[in-house]
Amino acid sequence: MKLAHVAGMLLFGAASIGVFTSCSSDNNKANGKTKTALSGDSTAVEEEETNARAPIDTAKYNQLIKKLANGDTTGKWPVKKQPYPLDGAILPFKRIIVYYGNLHSKKMGALGEYAPKEMWTRLNAEVKRWEKADPATPVQVGLHYIAAVASGTPGKDGKYINRMGNKQIDSVLKIAAMHKNTIVFLDLQVALSNIKAEIPHIAKYLEMPNVHLGIDPEFSMKDGSLPGKKIGTYDAADINYVSQYLADVVKKHNLPPKVFVIHRFTRKMVSNYQNIKLRPEVQIVMHMDGWGEPDLKLGTYRHFIYSEPVQFTGFKLFYKNDLKKAPHRLMTPEELLKLKPAPIYIQYQ
């Protein structure tokens, strides 16, 4: 437990530097056919086949989740009694590789640090590394955008949150559209607000088949503390509320399952994990979000991701923060593929 305590105390998560960044913010279903097209800061709906999704191959699903467990003999992995996902599920058939950040800040991640063309060149290089390391698993490329940023100033509503306007989110969708079949995650740092109040701000985007969700317990300040002063938390009840919301959206709009990413690098960031409900419409990723040298990151993954299984796992790599201490390097795809379980969602910041 001493190692767990050290790992929790030394690693900081997703975008703590972002809490002091100020950003001003400004689907229909018809015959089972939908297509999203951007027009200004609104989302238009046009026609595209979505009903042609291949049914889930349950035998292959079983084979792949067993493969991800990497020979774990504790009985934790793969997670038992998980429902098969609806048709069109991404996981575990593909590994998701994303760049994370915010367009208003070069300090919050590669998405925002680089102009779109250079960003894509860099992200594609990472994709190739993963394809080489694990040629049996196709890559699903994505962009993970912080759509609500915890702030160092109270703002008009006193919630210490900067919500990105539709124009900013539409810009990310346009960048995603530069490469075919790219998915987008919208990430919420709720600060002194709460997840029930913040999801409606991005509701219309979640009705799009290529848009998924991330939430960050680090910046969920239930005790009224200012974001960035201490680490926040979500309970299983919060996570279940969000997954039910996503499931309802999936069913109402005849969508493929949503991928739901939850950042984590301490035990207290997620309470009552054993009560998290799994649903066919939603694929949950518990994402190791801490930074540091490889041994520290591995300890965090082992104590807070491996030891409290939910469904799928993710792993974050920081281009700058992971290099601060010896051996001053990023972990490689080959190293991450040896983990029990192997992460199926990889995020670069």
Side-chain angles (χ1 to χ4, degrees):
M1 291 306 296
K2 183 177 180 181
L3 175 60
H5 174 73
V6 170
M9 291 299 292
L10 292 186
L11 283 180
F12 294 89
S16 54
I17 193 170
V19 300
F20 304 110
T21 302
S22 178
C23 307
S24 60
S25 60
D26 328 74
N27 221 321
N28 300 320
K29 184 169 73 172
N31 300 320
K33 300 178 181 181
T34 61
K35 182 179 179 180
T36 56
L38 299 177
S39 176
D41 63 351
S42 63
T43 304
V45 179
E46 297 177 356
E47 192 174 79
E48 180 183 85
E49 292 288 348
T50 57
N51 275 349
R53 297 191 290 265
I56 289 297
D57 183 336
T58 56
K60 186 174 183 181
Y61 186 94
N62 293 338
Q63 174 192 351
L64 291 175
I65 61 172
K66 183 178 180 180
K67 178 183 175 183
L68 287 176
N70 264 346
D72 180 58
T73 58
T74 65
K76 293 180 180 293
W77 300 93
V79 172
K80 297 179 178 63
K81 298 181 180 179
Q82 58 176 292
Y84 290 116
L86 298 183
D87 298 350
I90 296 173
L91 305 176
F93 305 102
K94 296 180 180 180
R95 176 171 284 106
I96 299 172
I97 309 291
V98 306
Y99 262 9
Y100 170 98
N102 183 281
L103 298 184
H104 289 278
S105 174
K106 294 185 177 182
K107 295 182 178 180
M108 294 177 69
L111 176 58
E113 181 174 0
Y114 304 107
K117 287 185 179 180
E118 182 178 359
M119 184 277 298
W120 271 116
T121 297
R122 291 172 177 268
L123 179 51
N124 286 334
E126 299 294 0
V127 167
K128 289 179 180 178
R129 292 185 186 99
W130 279 95
E131 289 174 337
K132 181 179 179 181
D134 184 11
T137 306
V139 168
Q140 170 62 66
V141 70
L143 303 179
H144 196 118
Y145 187 61
I146 315 170
V149 183
S151 173
T153 56
K156 292 181 179 180
D157 60 3
K159 299 298 185 181
Y160 287 81
I161 186 172
N162 283 314
R163 302 174 187 91
M164 300 299 102
N166 290 346
K167 288 183 179 179
Q168 287 91 342
I169 296 175
D170 287 349
S171 293
V172 175
L173 293 173
K174 289 176 182 177
I175 294 170
M178 293 170 66
H179 282 252
K180 189 177 179 181
N181 298 325
T182 299
I183 61 175
V184 170
F185 290 84
L186 298 181
D187 203 273
L188 301 178
Q189 300 177 355
V190 301
L192 270 62
S193 182
N194 61 75
I195 196 64
K196 291 183 180 181
E198 295 308 315
I199 283 187
H201 290 285
I202 59 169
K204 73 171 186 176
Y205 294 103
L206 294 174
E207 295 173 5
M208 299 169 64
N210 65 322
V211 175
H212 304 267
L213 182 67
I215 63 172
D216 199 339
E218 180 180 2
F219 301 110
S220 171
M221 316 311 297
K222 292 189 172 185
D223 65 356
S225 299
L226 298 185
K229 301 298 183 182
K230 62 184 295 186
I231 296 170
T233 185
Y234 277 125
D235 186 71
D238 302 301
I239 293 168
N240 290 339
Y241 172 83
V242 176
S243 67
Q244 183 63 66
Y245 181 99
L246 293 174
D248 291 344
V249 171
V250 166
K251 288 183 282 190
K252 180 178 180 180
H253 297 280
N254 190 30
L255 302 175
K258 294 292 184 183
V259 180
F260 177 23
V261 174
I262 302 152
H263 303 280
R264 190 177 193 185
F265 58 92
T266 71
R267 179 156 283 116
K268 290 183 179 180
M269 285 176 72
V270 176
S271 56
N272 298 309
Y273 83 95
Q274 69 278 4
N275 295 332
I276 295 174
K277 297 178 182 178
L278 302 181
R279 312 177 195 276
E281 302 86 1
V282 181
Q283 302 193 286
I284 295 180
V285 175
M286 296 302 294
H287 175 53
M288 202 297 285
D289 191 30
W291 61 263
E293 62 272 28
D295 285 347
L296 192 55
K297 293 174 77 78
L298 291 173
T300 301
Y301 189 83
R302 183 168 62 252
H303 285 282
F304 310 130
I305 305 297
Y306 167 83
S307 68
E308 297 194 354
V310 176
Q311 190 173 23
F312 297 101
T313 70
F315 204 98
K316 189 168 197 171
L317 296 166
F318 292 77
Y319 283 122
K320 296 179 175 63
N321 287 350
D322 283 355
L323 275 58
K324 288 185 175 182
K325 295 184 179 181
H328 308 291
R329 68 172 181 84
L330 254 60
M331 295 185 70
T332 66
E334 289 78 7
E335 288 176 299
L336 297 183
L337 288 169
K338 294 177 182 178
L339 295 178
K340 297 176 187 283
I344 199 67
Y345 169 92
I346 304 295
Q347 185 179 101
Y348 288 89
Q349 179 172 335

